[in-house]
Amino acid sequence: KQEVTQIPAALSVPEGENLVLNCSFTDSAIYNLQWFRQDPGKGLTSLLLIQSSQREQTSGRLNASLDKSSGRSTLYIAASQPGDSATYLCAVKDTGTASKLTFGTGTRLQVTL
Amino acid sequence: DGGITQSPKYLFRKEGQNVTLSCEQNLNHDAMYWYRQDPGQGLRLIYYSQIVNDFQKGDIAEGYSVSREKKESFPLTVTSAQKNPTAFYLCASSSDSQRTQYFGPGTRLLVL
């Protein structure tokens, strides 16, 4: 059974700092991995999707990497801003299941002025 | 605007009552999903549908039911058999089961 872990559970950084969020998964037979952002009381917004054959994806100040063999992904946020404050969720789609995403519990990020 | 809508934003359930959460999408997506989110836990899949008139149980389907009579709509009923229904419910859709899932704003269900 796939398990997804995100460390740390919470993180507070001053504005302008670069930061890394971590995601690990137990079964490397994945189809893709996604990073989502969730604001309090809101739905999820997809940030980046990495296919299993890819090593990284970039969107603006965000860069996600994938090391499938070691079961790890990182989300790098450059020059953090207060508007980046949210919970970041990692989710894995396994190859053996048609539709299921397995989610981590998230990292709650606060960027302070 | 294209997107996914969920209603209501807040829903209150009395003991023994069935309640239905609405999810509508105008993205022309074939696949739709229902997730439950509890504090400190990741999202868990309740039911999913890859095509109209077909749906499959997820990891925590007990106490829930769904229908998929129209491509645009995937309502979720929380039955009285669900003993701990208080949670945040999220609906999602995707063009097919391998693509990015797009999420609605969620419905928070509370028990009176």
Side-chain angles (χ1 to χ4, degrees):
Chain A
K1 178 187 173 187
Q2 179 74 267
E3 294 182 4
V4 180
T5 303
Q6 291 187 247
I7 294 173
L11 181 64
S12 181
V13 301
E15 182 180 13
E17 194 163 295
N18 301 327
L19 60 102
V20 174
L21 307 180
N22 297 294
C23 171
S24 61
F25 46 95
T26 54
D27 187 346
S28 61
I30 66 169
Y31 185 80
N32 61 40
L33 182 146
Q34 278 187 262
W35 283 93
F36 292 89
R37 169 186 171 135
Q38 184 176 30
D39 292 290
K42 306 290 185 184
L44 277 64
T45 300
S46 180
L47 298 173
L48 290 164
L49 183 149
I50 311 177
Q51 300 293 348
S52 63
S53 58
Q54 296 175 320
R55 299 283 293 185
E56 65 179 323
Q57 281 285 334
T58 299
S59 176
R61 294 183 294 108
L62 305 179
N63 176 276
S65 68
L66 173 64
D67 185 343
K68 202 171 69 167
S69 61
S70 67
R72 294 182 182 178
S73 176
T74 61
L75 179 66
Y76 174 83
I77 302 177
S80 58
Q81 302 171 358
D84 295 330
S85 298
T87 296
Y88 291 81
L89 296 160
C90 165
V92 166
K93 183 185 289 290
D94 295 331
T95 55
T97 57
S99 297
K100 181 180 174 181
L101 283 177
T102 302
F103 282 84
T105 53
T107 294
R108 190 171 66 254
L109 172 66
Q110 182 173 10
V111 180
T112 58
L113 290 170
Chain B
D1 281 7
I4 303 174
T5 57
Q6 291 186 241
S7 61
K9 186 172 182 178
Y10 296 95
L11 185 58
F12 298 90
R13 193 191 92 162
K14 297 179 181 178
E15 289 285 339
Q17 186 182 38
N18 292 353
V19 292
T20 298
L21 286 62
S22 169
C23 177
E24 305 277 333
Q25 53 96 3
N26 60 7
L27 300 168
N28 200 33
H29 285 172
D30 284 315
M32 297 187 74
Y33 314 82
W34 274 106
Y35 293 90
R36 170 179 171 142
Q37 186 176 34
D38 294 280
Q41 296 191 38
L43 277 69
R44 293 181 289 168
L45 183 65
I46 305 172
Y47 267 98
Y48 65 97
S49 168
Q50 293 180 272
I51 200 167
V52 175
N53 292 322
D54 183 61
F55 49 83
Q56 308 294 329
K57 293 182 179 180
D59 295 324
I60 55 167
E62 185 175 350
Y64 300 97
S65 66
V66 294
S67 63
R68 185 81 187 280
E69 296 175 2
K70 298 187 299 182
K71 188 176 187 178
E72 305 79 29
S73 178
F74 191 40
L76 173 74
T77 296
V78 184
T79 75
S80 57
Q82 173 50 245
K83 298 306 180 187
N84 184 23
T86 297
F88 190 50
Y89 291 86
L90 289 159
C91 177
S93 71
S94 62
S95 56
D96 62 56
S97 63
Q98 307 304 329
R99 305 286 183 181
T100 299
Q101 293 183 16
Y102 295 89
F103 283 78
T107 292
R108 187 165 299 280
L109 177 61
L110 301 166
V111 177
L112 295 176

